[in-house]
Amino acid sequence: RQTTFAVMLFPSTAAFGLLLSGTPHPPLAVRVRPTMSLDPADWKLLSRRDQVDGALTLAAAEAGTEAQVVTVTIPRSDDAPSLGLLLDEIATSGDAGIVAVEGLVEGGNGEKATAPLLPGDALVAAAEEGKPTTGVSLEGLPFDSVVERLSSLSSAVGVVVSVKRLVRKPRATVTVRFPEAEGREDARMTLYQGANLRRAMLSSGA
């Protein structure tokens, strides 16, 4: 969702101030839109300084997207031990990699998850249902390591799976209007949710 605002700068006795012009509107209902992308260029792997074992963390590569953690429970049993997920190693380099959901096995356990898993969801953790101490990290690992760690979990009980999902950030187009005495043209910038307006204006020269 994109929203447009006009910001007018006006002189005061102390400094320039900011005024959001326009008619007040009720709060917007923001609808999060997943990218559902299997493009590795949409991700970046970051080293975590608080981890001595060289663990990596997945993050969105572009400013307009963010990685949200989604946790679901997939039922399993002795009669139906499979996760029912089609996995794809979308990036790999040595001991690092990104394994994402490519799809779901028709009629499989993946379709029975407590919340839908989408193409492009990157696996980051898993644990046996009701046994958090069995948890294993899958984040930033190559395909073989992910499969090995998933195989260490009991297939007779459900598994709690955490994924990171790329979603588009809500954005707003901001028009900055300067005092007429300055003779400057309006400046426009796009701000994403959580951005600091003052910092954005300074970095853009407004």
Side-chain angles (χ1 to χ4, degrees), residues 97-111:
I98 304 173
V99 176
V101 175
E102 184 180 18
L104 305 178
V105 177
E106 185 176 355
N109 288 330
E111 291 187 341

Side-chain angles (χ1 to χ4, degrees), residues 34-47:
T35 64
M36 291 192 290
S37 171
L38 288 167
D39 187 348
D42 292 333
W43 292 97
K44 59 183 177 182
L45 279 171
L46 305 175
S47 60

Side-chain angles (χ1 to χ4, degrees), residues 44-59 69 123-125 136-141 149 164:
K44 59 183 177 182
L45 279 171
L46 305 175
S47 60
R48 294 167 52 180
R49 296 179 180 177
D50 59 331
Q51 297 289 332
V52 296
D53 58 356
L56 300 173
T57 185
L58 276 170
V69 177
L123 274 62
V124 296
V136 293
S137 174
L138 310 173
E139 190 165 14
L141 296 180
R149 294 193 180 190
K164 282 189 174 179

Side-chain angles (χ1 to χ4, degrees), residues 87-167:
L87 302 179
D88 184 16
E89 184 180 61
I90 62 175
T92 182
S93 177
D95 294 332
I98 304 173
V99 176
V101 175
E102 184 180 18
L104 305 178
V105 177
E106 185 176 355
N109 288 330
E111 291 187 341
K112 303 172 185 176
T114 52
L117 289 170
L118 305 177
D121 287 349
L123 274 62
V124 296
E128 294 174 15
E129 185 178 11
K131 300 179 180 179
T133 56
T134 63
V136 293
S137 174
L138 310 173
E139 190 165 14
L141 296 180
F143 186 85
D144 289 346
S145 297
V146 168
V147 172
E148 180 181 358
R149 294 193 180 190
L150 287 174
S151 299
S152 70
L153 304 176
S154 172
S155 59
V157 297
V159 59
V160 179
V161 177
S162 294
V163 300
K164 282 189 174 179
R165 178 175 297 166
L166 289 176
V167 298

